[in-house]
């Protein structure tokens, strides 16, 4: 059985209540819930939240909320994988076991149904232990460096890099936080996230907007408006 978890705690600080804030008329978490359900890749689509208000909104969007998140895993210090372990243990306590879990951050509303389906296809084809979505880095790390104490740019970029056209530099990729698929194969749930059986699913930069600020909300709103008018 496959499980999709949308983590949506209520204590966000950068943008207050961002996980339920309306984006183009829909609660932010609703985009991830809807995409997960429409993908038909999961036996259960659930939201992990510490708030009954959030839980009610999640259920109205079509997700399951069989229990609320513990206080321990509702703090700023809890990681997403702490949340995943708690969810899986709570299901186990109810006698329900899953073979695969997918973490879908609600802050990635432009991730599409096709992205989820394609990532799952990659997971199956590679018999993967872990699949994570990435996008091409906007700026090559070869064009970045730390600054000296006096802000001197001496040696900031090597002559070897400067001698090449930007398009001739190697491509670098970064995690975009949209999709994390992981096989559950041990009782301790010590996920080997970047081991031999791990693969990248590449998404476009346009679909990789990760909402963390007011500007991100504005950008996502504009892109959704654009897509709605241009297909």
């Amino acid at each position: 059985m496959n499980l999709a978890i949308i983590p949506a705690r209520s204590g966000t600080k950068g943008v207050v209540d961002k996980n339920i804030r309306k984006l183009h008329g829909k609660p932010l978490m609703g985009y991830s819930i809807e995409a997960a359900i429409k993908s038909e890749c999961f036996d259960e689509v659930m939201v992990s939240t510490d708030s009954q208000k959030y839980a009610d909104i999640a259920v109205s969007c079509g997700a399951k909320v069989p229990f609320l998140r513990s206080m321990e895993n509702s703090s700023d210090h809890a990681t997403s994988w702490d949340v995943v372990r708690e969810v899986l243990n709570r299901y186990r306590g109810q006698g329900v076991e899953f073979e695969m879990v997918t973490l879908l951050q609600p802050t990635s509303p432009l991730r599409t149904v096709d992205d989820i389906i394609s990532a799952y296809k990659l997971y199956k084809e590679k018999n993967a232990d872990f699949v994570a979505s990435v996008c091409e880095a906007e700026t090559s790390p070869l064009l970045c460096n730390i600054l000296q104490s006096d802000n001197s740019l001496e040696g900031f970029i090597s002559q070897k890099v400067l001698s090449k056209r930007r398009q001739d530099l190697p491509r670098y990729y970064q995690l975009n936080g949209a999709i994390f698929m992981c096989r559950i194969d041990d009782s301790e749930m010590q996920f080997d996230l970047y081991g031999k059986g791990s693969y990248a699913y590449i998404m476009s930069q346009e679909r990789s907007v990760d909402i963390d600020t007011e500007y991100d909300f504005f950008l996502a709103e504009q892109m959704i408006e654009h897509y709605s008018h241009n297909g």
Side-chain angles (χ1 to χ4, degrees):
M1 290 175 60
N2 298 337
L3 173 68
I5 300 175
I6 293 102
R9 71 184 183 94
S10 62
T12 55
K13 295 178 180 178
V15 178
V16 176
D17 279 336
K18 70 177 176 182
N19 290 319
I20 60 171
R21 179 168 164 176
K22 291 290 183 68
L23 175 66
H24 207 254
K26 184 188 302 183
L28 182 61
M29 71 167 76
Y31 288 89
S32 295
I33 294 170
E34 183 177 291
I37 293 171
K38 286 185 176 180
S39 75
E40 299 184 346
C41 293
F42 310 106
D43 301 284
E44 181 108 322
V45 176
M46 71 88 67
V47 168
S48 170
T49 182
D50 57 328
S51 163
Q52 188 58 54
K53 177 182 178 181
Y54 279 42
D56 293 341
I57 293 172
V59 170
S60 72
C61 292
K64 302 285 184 65
V65 187
F67 39 78
L68 293 181
R69 191 186 302 186
S70 67
M71 289 184 61
E72 178 185 2
N73 284 320
S74 300
S75 71
D76 293 337
H77 303 293
T79 70
S80 295
W81 296 103
D82 290 332
V83 172
V84 169
R85 291 185 185 92
E86 176 180 87
V87 168
L88 293 175
N89 281 326
R90 293 289 295 274
Y91 272 109
R92 284 178 174 178
Q94 298 177 359
V96 181
E97 296 276 354
F98 294 95
E99 290 80 41
M100 185 270 273
V101 62
T102 297
L103 188 67
L104 300 171
Q105 302 281 6
T107 49
S108 298
L110 301 183
R111 171 216 312 106
T112 66
V113 174
D114 286 342
D115 283 323
I116 296 174
I117 293 172
S118 296
Y120 184 60
K121 182 179 179 181
L122 175 66
Y123 174 85
K124 297 292 286 186
E125 287 178 348
K126 296 289 189 180
N127 192 28
D129 294 322
F130 181 61
V131 168
S133 57
V134 303
C135 65
E136 188 172 350
E138 186 173 346
T139 302
S140 170
L142 297 176
L143 299 173
C144 302
N145 208 334
I146 60 173
L147 285 173
Q148 299 179 36
S149 59
D150 63 353
N151 288 351
S152 169
L153 287 174
E154 182 181 358
F156 186 76
I157 300 175
S158 74
Q159 289 300 318
K160 184 178 180 181
V161 171
L162 288 172
S163 66
K164 295 183 179 181
R165 298 181 305 165
R166 185 184 295 263
Q167 57 265 40
D168 292 332
L169 294 175
R171 290 187 178 185
Y172 283 80
Y173 293 86
Q174 63 188 39
L175 295 171
N176 67 1
I179 302 171
F180 296 95
M181 291 184 173
C182 194
R183 185 185 307 278
I184 306 167
D185 59 3
D186 68 88
S187 60
E188 298 300 319
M189 290 180 281
Q190 298 299 316
F191 305 112
D192 187 8
L193 303 182
Y194 303 105
K196 186 177 180 180
S198 301
Y199 296 90
Y201 168 68
I202 301 173
M203 289 173 57
S204 69
Q205 290 180 334
E206 290 78 12
R207 298 199 312 281
S208 298
V209 174
D210 182 24
I211 293 184
D212 191 47
T213 66
E214 290 290 344
Y215 175 73
D216 296 331
F217 256 103
F218 171 78
L219 180 60
E221 187 87 37
Q222 295 302 307
M223 293 184 73
I224 292 172
E225 184 73 21
H226 173 76
Y227 291 147
S228 67
H229 285 98
N230 296 278

